[in-house]
Structures are given as C-alpha cells and as structure tokens.
Amino acid sequence: MNATAATIPSDSGPLVVVNDLVRIFAAEPQPVVAVDHLSIQVCAGEVFGLLGPNGAGKTTTLRIMLGLQSPDAGSVHIAGIDVTENPLEVKRQVSLVSASSGLYQWLTPRELMWYFADLYDIPDEVAAARVEYLADLFEIRGFLDRRCAGMSTGQQQRVNLARSLMHDPPVVLLDEPTRGLDIVGSSRIFEFTGLLRDQGKAVVFCTHRLDEAERLCTRFGIMNHGRLHLAGTLEELRSKTGLRHLAEMFLQLVNSSSDPAPGVIASPQWEADA
C-alpha cells in the first residue's frame, strides 16, 4: 500500500453490508426499537447518505458499524469482516469523522498522526510517507509541529481529517461532519468527501443538511423510527415519489404519520436495493 491511498477496485463487491439489523433498548413503559430490520449496502466509490430525523436510528446504526454496540439481531460486515465476531479488526477497516471528534490538545499534528500510526501498527516508513502526504493534502504543514491547543477551529478540523486517513481505511463514516462549521469549513468537508469517493472508499454520510446530501451523495437511504423507508439514487427517488428534492421526500415521510408502517413510501424492491 502506498502512502497516498489504497484504491479499491469497483468490482470488489460491497464494503459495507448491513443485513436485517435490529437494536432494541430497554425502556419504560415499553422497549424502544432503535433499529428495525435495517438492510443497506455500500460499495467502493459510493457516498451513501443515511438520512432521517432525530431518533431515526442513524447514530445507533453507526455505533453498531463501529463495533461499539452489539445488535440484537442481524449482522454487519465491514470489508468482509463480521463486526460482532471481530470488532477490533473492523476498527482497522473503518474511520469515523464527526463534528464532536476531539484532538489531544498537548500533541502536535505530527505527533498525533504518529500516535494513530502506532495504534494501527503502521510500519514506520509507511507512516512517515503518509504524514508528509497528508500534511500537504490538508495544508497543515505550516503548523505541523505546533500544539493543537493553540490552533483555530478550522486548523483543528484539517488535522482531524488528516488523522482519520492515517490508517488508510476502506470505509469512512461521516457523522454530521459540518455541524457548527462556517461556509469555509463546510466546503472543506465537501472536498474531503469527494476525495474519499475518488480514492475508492465506501462512505456513509449522516446529516440533517439535505442540501448537502444532494450535493455529495451518490445514493440515499431515508430512515424513520428505525426503519429504512426509501432508498436509491436521487433520480430513482424522484421517480418513486414524484417529488424533486430530498427535503420534500423527507417531510412527506415524517409527516405521513407519527410511526409510519414499512412500505408507506418504499416498496420491498426499494428496501432490497438499499
């Protein structure tokens, strides 16, 4: 693997396979079904927009994909690895970028990237080349040896993006990555997502910003109450719903009922294609 990126062949099959996933939390007066028989697939070079209102089950799904929670039923495979059976190995194949991600404030960006290289057992010669490549890619060379504590929000954001690619994962999860960012910071996330797509990563992009999703994602899944109700490319969704924009589809689903039954918008074929 070179220091720049591992480009995965497009015919390698889905890198993310979520199959009939269920997660239920104990609660009063009755249990809460956070994820309800969810099935999605994401291939190399795809940006899959996982959309839904608060409480739709997006974050729970991401936590299961990261191996941080166990499902009650169903399975998740990341790059062919069963998340439940081998959660540690899965963490080598995936990276999370979130608006809430923090940095070790007393480390420099160079030290931080070497720290993550050590965590992932990256050989020194590969790590050294990757630090140099990522420093140029995200334009952090000017403060590469300055402590993170003294950096602006935008600078810390760039360091966080560089850190996320140190182990060159085939799968990247983006959880509300533009939350709280100005237009410059948001544009950098757009560029980053395009870079991941061009490098052949499988990307899952969770956001409430539907305009961003339309701009960035190649395919979409709209969740509500833990269920996937609609999935496909934007043109497929337009054909299915008769609506032009994701915001209209989103509102139609959310407003159709407080807990719409599966298939209110989506057909079994849509769910099979998710």
Side-chain angles (χ1 to χ4, degrees):
M1 183 184 302
N2 62 37
T4 57
T7 301
I8 301 166
S10 59
D11 60 355
S12 59
L15 288 172
V16 176
V17 179
V18 178
N19 184 43
D20 209 23
L21 194 67
V22 176
R23 184 67 169 96
I24 302 172
F25 292 102
E28 295 294 340
Q30 61 185 18
V32 174
V33 182
V35 182
D36 191 356
H37 298 282
L38 175 68
S39 294
I40 62 174
Q41 295 184 0
V42 187
C43 295
E46 269 196 312
V47 180
F48 185 84
L50 189 61
L51 314 176
N54 290 331
K58 305 185 303 298
T59 298
T60 299
T61 300
L62 290 186
R63 290 181 65 84
I64 294 172
M65 291 170 66
L66 286 164
L68 301 178
Q69 289 182 352
S70 298
D72 293 297
S75 63
V76 177
H77 288 79
I78 302 292
I81 302 169
D82 189 301
V83 172
T84 301
E85 293 182 358
N86 202 341
L88 289 179
E89 182 58 29
V90 161
K91 290 178 176 59
R92 296 181 181 274
Q93 308 299 323
V94 67
S95 183
L96 173 68
V97 175
S98 170
S100 59
S101 297
L103 301 175
Y104 295 105
Q105 296 295 297
W106 297 106
L107 295 181
T108 67
R110 187 190 303 275
E111 291 169 340
L112 185 73
M113 288 192 284
W114 272 100
Y115 172 72
F116 277 88
D118 187 54
L119 287 179
Y120 289 105
D121 295 324
I122 299 172
D124 286 353
E125 63 276 12
V126 175
R130 199 166 292 162
V131 167
E132 297 303 312
Y133 166 72
L134 294 172
D136 289 333
L137 182 66
F138 293 104
E139 299 177 351
I140 63 175
R141 188 170 296 283
F143 47 90
L144 192 59
D145 295 301
R146 205 170 81 207
R147 286 184 177 180
C148 293
M151 294 178 189
S152 69
T153 299
Q155 290 171 333
Q156 293 207 22
Q157 177 202 41
R158 281 184 273 166
V159 173
N160 189 37
L161 296 179
R163 182 274 311 162
S164 72
L165 294 185
M166 268 306 291
H167 62 299
D168 198 17
V171 177
V172 179
L173 309 180
L174 303 176
D175 185 20
E176 300 287 350
T178 61
R179 188 176 67 229
L181 296 179
D182 61 16
I183 189 170
V184 175
S186 295
S187 66
R188 186 168 291 115
I189 293 294
F190 300 154
E191 294 168 359
F192 176 65
T193 305
L195 170 73
L196 297 177
R197 183 183 60 240
D198 294 344
Q199 289 184 349
K201 312 290 187 186
V203 181
V204 178
F205 191 95
C206 288
T207 183
H208 291 99
R209 303 277 295 273
L210 301 183
D211 56 331
E212 292 179 357
E214 285 194 11
R215 175 177 175 180
L216 293 172
C217 301
T218 54
R219 205 156 50 86
F220 308 87
I222 302 180
M223 294 181 67
N224 197 24
H225 296 282
R227 303 170 187 164
L228 185 68
H229 291 269
L230 187 63
T233 66
L234 185 57
E235 288 305 315
E236 288 170 337
L237 300 193
R238 286 169 173 169
S239 175
K240 184 67 179 180
T241 64
L243 301 172
R244 181 156 187 81
H245 297 292
L246 284 176
E248 297 171 301
M249 304 172 200
F250 186 93
L251 290 173
Q252 184 184 86
L253 171 61
V254 172
N255 294 333
S256 60
S257 90
S258 59
D259 189 5
V264 166
I265 296 179
S267 68
Q269 182 60 44
W270 279 103
E271 296 192 9
D273 289 344

